[in-house]
Amino acid sequence: MALKIRKNQSPPPPRGCPLSHCMEILKGAWTPNVIWCLAAGSRRFSELRHDIPAVSAKVLTVRLRDLEKKGVVARAVRPTSPPSVEYSLTDLGAELLPAIRAIVEVSHKLKMRNNEACLGRKAAVEAAE
Amino acid sequence: MALKIRKNQSPPPPRGCPLSHCMEILKGAWTPNVIWCLAAGSRRFSELRHDIPAVSAKVLTVRLRDLEKKGVVARAVRPTSPPSVEYSLTDLGAELLPAIRAIVEVSHKLKMRNNEACLGRKAAVEAAE
DNA sequence: CTGCATCCATAAAGATACTG
DNA sequence: CAGTATCTTTATGGATGCAG
């Protein structure tokens, strides 16, 4: 029912707030991964599925459509006998790469630092022998 | 029940795939916003709520705890009569800013480009007069 | 091969009320 | 002020089956 009354607020669904307004491009859980795989060049649908084994066809399709609609990736259909579709990053999509790389880098540092507690203790024990 | 049988797969919950392994730091929908607000300096809990009106106290708390655990933000309690808690970015957290800025920038370009279709058409019509 | 539709499970976020 | 607890809604993702 379209006119269902909701006791909670948010008469209009969250405008531009959730997913702040920034980050909308990287919304899906697999989006960064897809962009990352496309960074090296064009990939076919099945190649992407091979690159990211854990993603389902549905989600990959949805994310690809999303990114296409936003102008981040380009979709090129090859009219071959077995259908073939090539996905690639647009120029704007490529601009996302440094950002993703930066986040991955900091993420990595954070993990290393978080592991220092355990690793450091273990190393100290071994060094004490 | 812990041993409930699930007809679907995923016996082990998704390991490091969803949210690829990168982007874990920016997981929550409000996380980028919180980091952004903290970029200018320390903020109290209620100040953050004021900065981001649409976020609920619960979510803000959860995100703040998450970021604190990851070493992105620091939490300082002031033993004043009305309790006061200051949140601020750690050095590693500050390293996230350029990345977020880059994503926001591309996001903005994307939106401008997506609006060009409508705006451009309107401008063309007006220019033709 | 590529992709869509349907159904189900889970996680994140919002509302609200309550505590130190 | 700064949370915490509980409940509900929504969004995202996975499985499966089907179609061009």
Side-chain angles (χ1 to χ4, degrees):
Chain A
M1 187 199 302
L3 293 180
K4 177 183 167 192
I5 297 176
R6 324 200 294 182
K7 67 176 176 185
N8 296 339
Q9 56 107 237
S10 55
R15 293 80 39 166
C17 286
L19 291 178
S20 334
H21 60 280
C22 66
M23 304 301 293
E24 286 176 7
I25 345 175
L26 301 180
K27 197 177 52 169
W30 295 100
T31 303
N33 233 303
V34 171
I35 296 178
W36 200 249
C37 290
L38 251 21
S42 295
R43 300 293 276 171
R44 304 237 317 270
F45 186 84
S46 50
E47 288 179 319
L48 286 173
R49 288 211 64 187
H50 177 260
D51 291 338
I52 318 172
V55 75
S56 67
K58 188 198 75 167
V59 174
L60 183 54
T61 302
V62 171
R63 295 279 73 103
L64 250 10
R65 296 290 179 209
D66 247 40
L67 292 172
E68 185 193 359
K69 198 162 40 181
K70 287 169 185 162
V72 175
V73 308
R75 181 170 178 269
V77 182
R78 297 278 198 79
T80 56
S81 40
S84 170
V85 182
E86 293 255 336
Y87 291 95
S88 57
L89 248 35
T90 64
D91 52 340
L92 239 27
E95 290 186 40
L96 249 20
L97 293 175
I100 294 179
R101 184 184 297 277
I103 294 176
V104 171
E105 195 175 322
V106 176
S107 176
H108 187 235
K109 282 189 192 177
L110 245 18
K111 286 184 181 173
M112 299 234 315
R113 176 167 298 195
N114 289 338
N115 283 155
E116 262 170 36
C118 339
L119 296 178
R121 188 177 304 176
K122 189 174 182 180
V125 170
E126 292 173 350
E129 296 176 353
Chain B
M1 187 200 304
L3 293 180
K4 178 183 167 193
I5 296 177
R6 321 199 298 180
K7 68 178 177 184
N8 295 338
Q9 56 109 236
S10 56
R15 291 80 41 167
C17 286
L19 292 178
S20 332
H21 62 277
C22 66
M23 305 300 293
E24 287 177 5
I25 346 176
L26 302 180
K27 196 178 52 168
W30 296 100
T31 303
N33 232 303
V34 172
I35 296 178
W36 200 249
C37 289
L38 251 22
S42 296
R43 300 294 274 172
R44 304 236 315 271
F45 186 85
S46 51
E47 287 179 319
L48 287 173
R49 288 210 63 185
H50 178 260
D51 291 337
I52 318 172
V55 75
S56 65
K58 188 198 73 168
V59 173
L60 183 54
T61 303
V62 171
R63 296 279 74 102
L64 249 10
R65 298 287 181 211
D66 247 41
L67 292 171
E68 185 193 0
K69 199 162 39 183
K70 286 169 185 163
V72 175
V73 308
R75 182 172 178 269
V77 181
R78 298 279 197 80
T80 55
S81 41
S84 170
V85 182
E86 293 256 336
Y87 291 94
S88 57
L89 247 37
T90 63
D91 52 340
L92 239 27
E95 291 187 39
L96 250 19
L97 293 175
I100 295 178
R101 183 185 297 276
I103 295 176
V104 171
E105 195 175 323
V106 176
S107 176
H108 186 234
K109 283 188 191 175
L110 246 18
K111 286 185 182 173
M112 299 234 316
R113 177 168 298 194
N114 288 338
N115 283 156
E116 261 171 38
C118 339
L119 296 178
R121 188 176 303 175
K122 188 173 182 181
V125 169
E126 292 173 351
E129 296 177 352

